[in-house]
Amino acid sequence: MTKNLRVKSSEYIDETNRISFKFNGKTYHGYKGDTLASALLANNVHLVGRSFKYHRPRGIMTSGSEEPNGIVQINPGTNRTEPNVRATEVEIYDGLEASSQNCWPSVEFDIGGINNFLSPFFPAGFYYKTFMWPASFWEKYEFFIRHSAGLGKSPTSSDPDIYDHRNVHCDVLVVGAGISGILAAKNAAKNNFKTLLVDEKNELGGSTIYENNEFNKIDNKTPSEWLKKEIEELKGIKNLEIKTRTSVAAYHQYNYLLARENLTDHLEGKDKTNKIRQRLLKIRAKKVILATGAIERPLIFNNNDRPGIMLSSAIKKYSEFYGVACGSKNVFFTNNDSAYESALSLYNKGINVEAIVDIREQSESKIVKKVKEAGIKVYWSHTIVDTTGYKRLNSVSIMKLSNDGTSVTGSKISISCDCLGVAGGWTPAVHLYTQSGSKLKFDEEKQIFLPNQNTSEQISVGSCGGDFKIDEIIKNLNEKLKDNLNINETDLDNIKVEIDEENSKRNIWLLPSDKPLGKTKPFVDYQNDATAKDIKLALREGFRSIEHVKRYTTTGMGTDQGKLGNMHALGIIADTAGVKMGELGTTTFRPPYTPLTFGTIVGRNVGKFFDIFRRTPMNDWHVENKAEFENVGQWKRAWYYPINGETMHQAVQRESKAARESAGILDASTLGKIDIQGSDASEFLNRVYTNAWSKLAIGKCRYGLMLNEDGMVYDDGVTTRLGENHYIMTTTTGGAANVLGKLEDYLQTEWPELDVYLTSVTDHYATASLCGPNSKKILKKIIPDLDLSDENFPHMSFKESKIGNIQCRIMRISFTGEHSYEINVQASYGKDLWEKCMEAGKEFNITPYGTETMHLLRAEKGFIIVGQDTDGTMTPIDLQMDWIVSKKKYDFIGKRSLYRSDTMREDRKQLVGLLTDDPNVVLEEGAQIVSELNQSPVEMLGHVTSSYFSPNLKKSIALAVVRGGKDMMGKKLFVPMENKNINVTVANPVFYDEKNERLNA
Amino acid sequence: MFLINCPYCGERDQQEFKAGGEAHIERPKQPTELSDDEWAEYLFMRKNIKGVQFERWNHAHGCRKWFNMVRDTSNDEIKAIYKMGEKPPAQ
Ligand SMILES: [Zn+2]
């Protein structure tokens, strides 16, 4: 059935620009200016989707971002596809394709629709209750649930679009460009406030722009005419920036707001290329003016969800703004005068209005009289008790309401219709207001939540602030603007407003039917299929808190966050529990107001900018020489250098042997380096390290261990005394920033009296670590005039020298146990230094080695790596490093904690060496250690922290932490693995060169 | 997202800062004189107030200075900011 329901040309629709698009594979036509929703409605397509739980056919209900049903997949099967898009927000363009979600195989015939007939078995909490047991059935349930729940499909290839972020600062941010927002922005900007006005729609003016109620006049013009003139005047105003298609997603504390500016979604495919698709605006506003309007409430009655049942205000917008009739036989159902405006709008265009069903006893307003004069039948004190039509509404049944509104009487009248407009009053859109942390108050008379206590500089104006009539809006807006902006005069002072006075309302949250509630389906949350019945069941089952009821029934948990039905849910709870709504509190609205794409959230931080890497000055050399890299903190470090197709194991074995037998070279530039200066530098080191520093001679190096105040090892490294008041500290690669932060903290907050200055110089130096018995000869070749004798340059000492013209700092220190030197040069000479070492080392077969070999070599020596052999629960005593803890020093960070009863326990996990009985079996790092095999449950004594096959010892070695391990030397333990048990023996963790003879080899 | 007025740099976005826990807990001058309980009190015990709380903050991605903040944790209102070593404002 394709029927053209375009009724009248509209200035917002360009009928000269015909657009063709596809919906569910079928081609339709619309015009430039149409949304997908208005274009489908013009083609008489109401059925667009299936509901989440019962798979009931659903149609477009609204004309805006509050849409719960008209959720579609855009451009399915392409890399630009997007699920869960509201058809009411998609502007059509040539080539647009959209499809229904949550249905299989099609929206017209959906297998899941069977859930609708099974619905007595799907009450609130059904999923919680049913799929809980037996646990082993979960896989089957999951299969069923996943296949029947259609939440759309995410794209499977990468997003071709560009996204952007921008910081925006303004004096006044106005959210919403309806009448209130426009007047607020105009007056703010005119008074020299730098103002930003944003609106989610592509046209300014909100609902007033098509407001033609002849009984409302502003300065003797219809509100629509008057507002158009105001919008025209905005153009010349300085200080005012206007952004349309911009939706505020989040309102955080301190007037920090996130808005998504949509730049290309309305353009044809070819025009989207190479443009920024969406931009996230990060807005800091001194003042925020919320003019977000109000959302019309539906009414809750039996079978209120059929395609063709829409909000009355949406029918009016489709008719006035898009020139589209939503039906050819229309009925309205209302509790206030709004529906009469919609009815007149249709009537004036010659569209058939069958009747208005009004739950009020009467209304005497001018517009009601006008409707009566037009001969439209009004049923006062009546309610709809049922509707028919599976894929499209075809009739409503009405009955007379009892005086108290809780039951129906008399006989049933059936009215044939294809479209029903429901008007249940208005709910101020306070979502952003509450996101800001501000508090609402319930107005019992108006039955709405209103802004009450603000947490930041903000005002809510217009209908989101509770003013619905134009005279109230303008008067209160004027007062609020003067007060908030601190101005004396505004444009609004002399505006004359005439309005249709009466606007009575009769509020009934849940309308009765002739059937008992249990036999009806009054939907409260359309997207999640929560009915009034479910809410009452939750209350009977003992749920009281609104937040619990919401989660149990899933009310308000959809992508629309229950923008339509949340108030009714609250009302039904209040009525059922016999409490006032104000006492219930409201649920919290959370960002985003409408869903954001991942692209918008991450902006430019994609690809190589997703997580920034740090690379050393020698990086190019490592790349050229085919190194494999590993991530250490933010650094990319050379891991090993495979040659001739070696595996990692083969490469590491070769590198390790070469480093001990001749010479190896490691890029150690990533180690953290902190320059420490000041007259109290020695005292400072005394306080932060466990060992003593005062007596360290200038030109000497010392290894230091740093604890947390709780006594646990935090970091380690070698510090060198460069001068009387000058040290250079090295830290672990990963710990550099945290160590600096911690030291600054102590200096600034605990010991401000110390004269010490800290500077991070990690990036300023490149470091090559030269090691092995031939390292001395290589260094001699590079710096011939430096005396490298053990007398002049012994282990743990430092020399300042020059390589050619390049200044360098050399420390004779060793992390491998071999004779070795760490050569530091200014970072920009790093690669040059490296190449010189390689050249000089050629005759000694100098072998570059990566982090893996470094780890292996130090494990042979039993040297710990903080973060691998420690995990924040190891004291130096646990590590068998008592030697480094000064007994003489009065205090250092963590000292007192070493004497707590817990840290002195004998059965703490302690660092030991482990040797496998079969020397060829290498343990897995992280493997658990036990002392008994035939016990269940068995006590875990500890775990393996480092494990390698040592090519120098020709056997497997491991470090481990074992409960009470210190006293277990020689004891047999077991490492149980998935399919075997490995026998191990506790050993001294120093496996190689126990006497440190090689340091001077 | 707070807007924090660093006493050294002025107003900056919260993402430049790091929170550092409860303020005005002084490291004991003579830790070795303390009993286990007294040391544990300093080491582990922190208040977690709903309401006005005194906190340490660090302008980590800025001037790297530490300072104190008085914040109402129930609504995140920053009531005062003052330098290390300065007296907390009277409530
Ligand atoms: Zn600062």
Side-chain angles (χ1 to χ4, degrees):
Chain A
M1 179 173 58
T2 49
K3 183 159 79 175
N4 193 354
L5 289 170
R6 192 73 63 172
V7 289
K8 185 209 111 190
S9 58
S10 152
E11 62 188 286
Y12 300 101
I13 296 296
D14 179 3
E15 287 190 50
T16 64
N17 193 346
R18 194 158 176 264
I19 284 169
S20 105
F21 65 97
K22 276 187 180 170
F23 181 65
N24 286 337
K26 193 173 163 191
T27 302
Y28 295 93
H29 293 98
Y31 299 113
K32 187 79 195 159
D34 265 325
T35 61
L36 179 60
S38 70
L40 286 172
L41 290 168
N43 286 284
N44 203 23
V45 175
H46 275 254
L47 172 62
V48 288
R50 292 275 178 160
S51 67
F52 183 60
K53 196 158 85 178
Y54 303 133
H55 290 245
R56 280 170 70 104
R58 289 283 164 79
I60 294 155
M61 264 205 91
T62 73
S63 57
S65 59
E66 67 273 26
E67 177 61 37
N69 290 345
I71 308 290
V72 298
Q73 179 99 26
I74 293 297
N75 296 324
T78 72
N79 54 2
R80 281 205 169 95
T81 192
E82 190 178 348
N84 300 318
V85 179
R86 290 155 300 284
T88 50
E89 291 196 303
V90 177
E91 295 174 48
I92 60 166
Y93 50 84
D94 263 317
L96 170 73
E97 287 191 36
S99 64
S100 298
Q101 298 182 171
N102 202 30
C103 53
W104 185 80
S106 79
V107 69
E108 295 284 337
F109 176 74
D110 174 23
I111 283 181
I114 195 148
N115 287 7
N116 185 33
F117 303 104
L118 295 174
S119 64
F121 308 110
F122 281 80
F126 172 76
Y127 290 90
Y128 298 123
K129 289 169 187 163
T130 310
F131 298 124
M132 290 301 291
W133 59 272
S136 58
F137 265 49
W138 171 245
E139 280 178 29
K140 288 192 176 64
Y141 293 144
E142 192 187 13
F143 178 84
F144 165 74
I145 292 169
R146 286 204 190 283
H147 278 75
S148 51
L151 293 168
K153 289 192 172 66
S154 48
T156 50
S157 53
S158 72
D159 191 330
D161 287 315
I162 306 166
Y163 300 83
D164 198 24
H165 285 185
R166 180 183 289 173
N167 287 301
V168 178
H169 296 265
C170 58
D171 295 325
V172 177
L173 170 70
V174 182
V175 185
I179 183 167
S180 313
I182 282 168
L183 296 177
K186 189 179 170 192
N187 281 285
K190 275 188 168 178
N191 283 282
N192 290 321
F193 291 93
K194 189 184 167 203
T195 305
L196 174 63
L197 170 66
V198 301
D199 195 280
E200 59 184 6
K201 301 257 173 11
N202 59 337
E203 293 282 351
L204 301 179
S207 61
T208 311
I209 204 69
Y210 53 88
E211 172 61 70
N212 292 316
N213 181 342
E214 61 187 287
F215 304 110
N216 292 339
K217 289 274 162 64
I218 308 175
D219 285 343
N220 291 319
K221 295 193 173 84
T222 64
S224 158
E225 278 177 279
W226 184 83
L227 188 58
K228 277 174 200 159
K229 177 184 63 72
E230 289 291 311
I231 291 172
E232 198 54 37
E233 283 174 23
L234 290 180
K235 284 177 187 160
I237 301 178
K238 273 193 297 181
N239 293 326
L240 176 63
E241 188 181 2
I242 301 173
K243 284 190 180 291
T244 54
R245 298 190 177 101
T246 300
S247 166
V248 174
Y251 186 168
H252 295 295
Q253 300 135 320
Y254 294 83
N255 282 351
Y256 181 67
L257 297 93
L258 299 175
R260 181 211 53 213
E261 185 182 11
N262 213 332
L263 298 161
T264 66
D265 274 0
H266 60 291
L267 301 178
E268 268 180 63
K270 64 178 165 57
D271 297 330
K272 292 184 204 279
T273 336
N274 296 326
K275 286 186 186 144
I276 292 165
R277 179 190 172 201
Q278 291 173 345
R279 180 181 283 136
L280 188 71
L281 304 176
K282 301 169 169 181
I283 308 169
R284 279 279 183 196
K286 294 212 175 76
K287 294 167 189 286
V288 173
I289 298 178
L290 293 174
T292 46
I295 297 170
E296 189 165 45
R297 290 177 189 171
L299 290 164
I300 310 301
F301 54 96
N302 185 22
N303 286 320
N304 59 343
D305 66 326
R306 301 193 188 281
I309 300 180
M310 305 176 69
L311 293 181
S312 152
S313 58
I315 292 177
K316 180 174 156 192
K317 179 161 190 185
Y318 286 117
S319 153
E320 295 284 345
F321 191 88
Y322 298 105
V324 172
C326 295
S328 38
K329 283 201 289 186
N330 297 279
V331 171
F332 288 89
F333 183 26
T334 188
N335 67 4
N336 69 92
D337 278 357
S338 303
Y340 293 79
E341 288 185 9
S342 305
L344 268 186
S345 164
L346 296 188
Y347 174 82
N348 290 338
K349 292 182 178 62
I351 302 159
N352 196 4
V353 178
E354 301 285 315
I356 296 179
V357 182
D358 196 325
I359 68 171
R360 295 177 297 177
E361 276 158 28
Q362 59 161 21
S363 167
E364 289 300 320
S365 61
K366 291 176 195 162
I367 194 155
V368 171
K369 280 184 191 148
K370 176 104 186 173
V371 163
K372 285 190 200 157
E373 282 162 26
I376 297 170
K377 170 81 180 154
V378 180
Y379 293 93
W380 297 105
S381 296
H382 272 71
T383 184
I384 295 180
V385 295
D386 204 355
T387 66
T388 62
Y390 185 57
K391 289 180 202 163
R392 178 74 184 265
L393 179 72
N394 59 34
S395 81
V396 298
S397 311
I398 67 170
M399 287 176 82
K400 195 153 175 54
L401 262 177
S402 65
N403 286 340
D404 65 358
T406 59
S407 59
V408 285
T409 59
S411 54
K412 214 187 280 189
I413 305 166
S414 177
I415 309 169
S416 159
C417 58
D418 62 0
C419 184
L420 174 70
V422 289
W426 297 85
T427 300
V430 292
H431 308 73
L432 292 177
Y433 177 81
T434 59
Q435 280 182 20
S436 76
S438 299
K439 296 275 179 282
L440 299 168
K441 183 184 74 185
F442 191 71
D443 183 322
E444 294 285 347
E445 193 204 315
K446 291 182 172 171
Q447 297 275 294
I448 52 178
F449 280 102
L450 286 177
N452 187 35
Q453 272 183 303
N454 299 352
T455 52
S456 61
E457 274 268 2
Q458 57 169 302
I459 48 174
S460 292
V461 300
S463 54
C464 75
D467 299 326
F468 297 107
K469 289 190 251 173
I470 287 180
D471 58 338
E472 279 175 357
I473 289 174
I474 290 181
K475 180 171 158 285
N476 291 335
L477 172 63
N478 199 13
E479 282 169 19
K480 284 177 183 173
L481 281 180
K482 284 179 177 174
D483 182 51
N484 186 255
L485 302 178
N486 199 18
I487 51 180
N488 296 322
E489 302 183 342
T490 72
D491 286 0
L492 312 177
D493 288 334
N494 301 311
I495 292 177
K496 278 207 309 277
V497 183
E498 284 167 54
I499 61 146
D500 187 10
E501 276 304 329
E502 193 187 338
N503 204 343
S504 65
K505 184 179 169 184
R506 180 185 189 187
N507 201 55
I508 300 174
W509 294 115
L510 171 59
L511 289 153
S513 166
D514 54 330
K515 291 181 191 156
L517 181 66
K519 303 255 187 238
T520 64
K521 285 213 181 67
F523 287 92
V524 175
D525 183 311
Y526 300 88
Q527 198 174 96
N528 277 345
D529 274 348
T531 66
K533 207 162 53 179
D534 294 324
I535 292 170
K536 293 206 171 200
L537 176 66
L539 289 166
R540 277 207 306 281
E541 292 185 356
F543 291 91
R544 284 294 172 269
S545 151
I546 172 69
E547 293 289 349
H548 292 161
V549 173
K550 180 176 153 177
R551 278 159 182 76
Y552 191 57
T553 62
T554 69
T555 303
M557 306 273 283
T559 56
D560 61 336
Q561 290 197 28
K563 291 187 180 80
L564 295 187
N566 269 357
M567 286 300 294
H568 305 81
L570 280 171
I572 291 165
I573 294 168
D575 286 352
T576 309
V579 297
K580 284 190 168 169
M581 278 185 71
E583 292 162 15
L584 273 180
T586 178
T587 62
T588 317
F589 297 106
R590 296 180 202 284
Y593 178 68
T594 50
L596 287 176
T597 59
F598 281 113
T600 312
I601 294 167
V602 300
R604 304 266 177 175
N605 299 320
V606 293
K608 64 178 178 177
F609 299 116
F610 179 67
D611 194 12
I612 302 288
F613 288 116
R614 299 171 78 183
R615 296 175 197 276
T616 73
M618 291 82 138
N619 185 72
D620 287 353
W621 192 94
H622 306 321
V623 173
E624 283 158 24
N625 287 274
K626 309 282 188 295
E628 292 292 329
F629 288 85
E630 88 168 320
N631 299 337
V632 183
Q634 295 294 109
W635 290 99
K636 281 275 182 204
R637 292 198 73 176
W639 192 11
Y640 59 96
Y641 300 81
I643 48 177
N644 302 328
E646 280 174 327
T647 62
M648 173 166 157
H649 177 74
Q650 288 165 339
V652 169
Q653 297 289 305
R654 172 181 51 77
E655 291 171 13
S656 304
K657 268 176 88 75
R660 293 218 188 279
E661 285 170 7
S662 178
I665 183 168
L666 171 84
D667 181 356
S669 308
T670 62
L671 286 181
K673 297 177 265 300
I674 301 172
D675 185 271
I676 302 173
Q677 300 194 41
S679 56
D680 293 316
S682 303
E683 171 60 16
F684 179 66
L685 290 173
N686 270 334
R687 295 187 193 186
V688 301
Y689 277 133
T690 58
N691 47 349
W693 289 79
S694 308
K695 288 181 186 151
L696 183 69
I698 294 169
K700 296 288 179 193
C701 314
R702 183 166 287 172
Y703 174 76
L705 201 58
M706 198 181 287
L707 310 185
N708 257 333
E709 205 67 274
D710 61 6
M712 304 304 159
V713 171
Y714 182 70
D715 203 80
D716 69 346
V718 170
T719 294
T720 303
R721 189 165 197 174
L722 300 175
E724 178 62 28
N725 300 322
H726 191 185
Y727 292 83
I728 179 114
M729 171 190 279
T730 56
T731 72
T732 57
T733 295
N738 289 336
V739 169
L740 181 69
K742 178 183 152 98
L743 299 184
E744 276 287 357
D745 187 354
Y746 275 90
L747 262 186
Q748 289 179 35
T749 68
E750 296 294 351
W751 310 319
E753 73 282 3
L754 292 186
D755 175 40
V756 176
Y757 302 90
L758 306 175
T759 312
S760 166
V761 293
T762 305
D763 291 317
H764 300 58
Y765 291 97
T767 309
S769 177
L770 206 52
C771 97
N774 287 318
S775 58
K776 189 174 180 176
K777 292 176 198 153
I778 296 169
L779 186 60
K780 189 77 194 166
K781 280 177 75 179
I782 301 172
I783 316 177
D785 46 359
L786 182 62
D787 178 0
L788 297 180
S789 67
D790 286 345
E791 295 70 39
N792 182 56
F793 197 176
H795 181 59
M796 296 309 270
S797 66
F798 156 84
K799 292 285 176 223
E800 189 121 34
S801 185
K802 273 185 170 181
I803 303 172
N805 291 325
I806 308 167
Q807 203 71 33
C808 64
R809 287 173 172 176
I810 307 168
M811 283 87 167
R812 187 173 161 194
I813 53 179
S814 175
F815 192 42
T816 59
E818 295 298 318
H819 190 126
S820 69
Y821 301 93
E822 275 189 21
I823 312 164
N824 296 273
V825 294
Q826 194 182 308
S828 48
Y829 295 114
K831 198 175 168 218
D832 188 49
L833 165 70
W834 186 271
E835 282 164 350
K836 279 202 166 70
C837 291
M838 290 304 295
E839 182 58 34
K842 221 176 214 170
E843 59 177 295
F844 306 103
N845 186 30
I846 188 170
T847 301
Y849 66 93
T851 50
E852 192 63 21
T853 292
M854 173 189 83
H855 284 192
L856 191 162
L857 295 173
R858 64 84 210 181
E860 290 178 337
K861 287 293 295 173
F863 294 150
I864 59 155
I865 288 187
V866 173
Q868 175 159 347
D869 302 297
T870 73
D871 59 1
T873 66
M874 302 295 288
T875 69
I877 320 300
D878 299 337
L879 293 171
Q880 307 221 45
M881 290 173 79
D882 313 43
W883 54 271
I884 202 172
V885 180
S886 164
K887 302 277 185 301
K888 290 189 204 134
K889 279 200 295 182
Y890 181 70
D891 192 15
F892 56 82
I893 296 171
K895 171 164 177 152
R896 176 61 186 83
S897 290
L898 299 178
Y899 304 95
R900 292 178 58 237
S901 55
D902 184 58
T903 44
M904 297 212 302
R905 273 189 299 115
E906 291 293 318
D907 63 344
R908 290 179 62 81
K909 284 186 183 171
Q910 291 143 356
L911 186 83
V912 294
L914 283 187
L915 290 171
T916 49
D917 290 4
D918 176 348
N920 291 314
V921 173
V922 180
L923 297 170
E924 271 185 40
E925 288 174 358
Q928 295 289 319
I929 299 160
V930 302
S931 61
E932 296 290 335
L933 280 177
N934 303 315
Q935 228 175 44
S936 179
V938 63
E939 190 198 6
M940 299 294 173
L941 291 179
H943 64 276
V944 179
T945 60
S946 296
S947 174
Y948 306 90
F949 186 83
S950 160
N952 298 299
L953 297 160
K954 300 192 174 55
K955 63 180 178 187
S956 154
I957 57 165
L959 298 176
V961 291
V962 175
R963 192 160 294 164
K966 245 183 231 183
D967 299 325
M968 286 188 183
M969 206 54 62
K971 192 173 159 73
K972 298 278 182 195
L973 296 173
F974 308 98
V975 175
M977 299 304 290
E978 201 172 15
N979 42 27
K980 62 179 173 190
N981 295 307
I982 301 167
N983 295 1
V984 296
T985 307
V986 178
N988 181 344
V990 185
F991 300 103
Y992 187 77
D993 186 26
E994 210 176 322
K995 293 185 180 136
N996 293 326
E997 287 162 346
R998 300 190 60 83
L999 288 172
N1000 294 315
Chain B
M1 194 79 87
F2 306 168
L3 192 60
I4 298 173
N5 193 5
C6 170
Y8 305 93
C9 308
E11 282 191 335
R12 294 289 189 278
D13 193 277
Q14 183 185 343
Q15 66 185 10
E16 294 184 12
F17 297 85
K18 215 172 98 180
E22 192 181 341
H24 302 296
I25 294 177
E26 202 178 334
R27 186 174 188 272
K29 288 274 179 288
Q30 297 174 315
T32 43
E33 315 286 305
L34 301 180
S35 69
D36 268 12
D37 283 353
E38 287 166 327
W39 180 245
E41 184 67 30
Y42 159 73
L43 196 56
F44 301 122
M45 298 308 182
R46 296 294 182 270
K47 293 187 195 111
N48 187 11
I49 298 166
K50 183 180 180 184
V52 175
Q53 182 161 288
F54 291 73
E55 303 173 332
R56 287 152 29 92
W57 282 74
N58 181 227
H59 194 185
H61 301 284
C63 63
R64 291 187 12 220
K65 284 281 195 184
W66 284 89
F67 57 88
N68 292 314
M69 180 190 288
V70 187
R71 180 174 67 104
D72 187 333
T73 60
S74 68
N75 59 13
D76 285 329
E77 185 192 342
I78 298 172
K79 293 183 170 293
I81 281 176
Y82 53 101
K83 292 179 181 174
M84 280 293 159
E86 287 179 357
K87 273 219 171 76
Q91 282 197 53

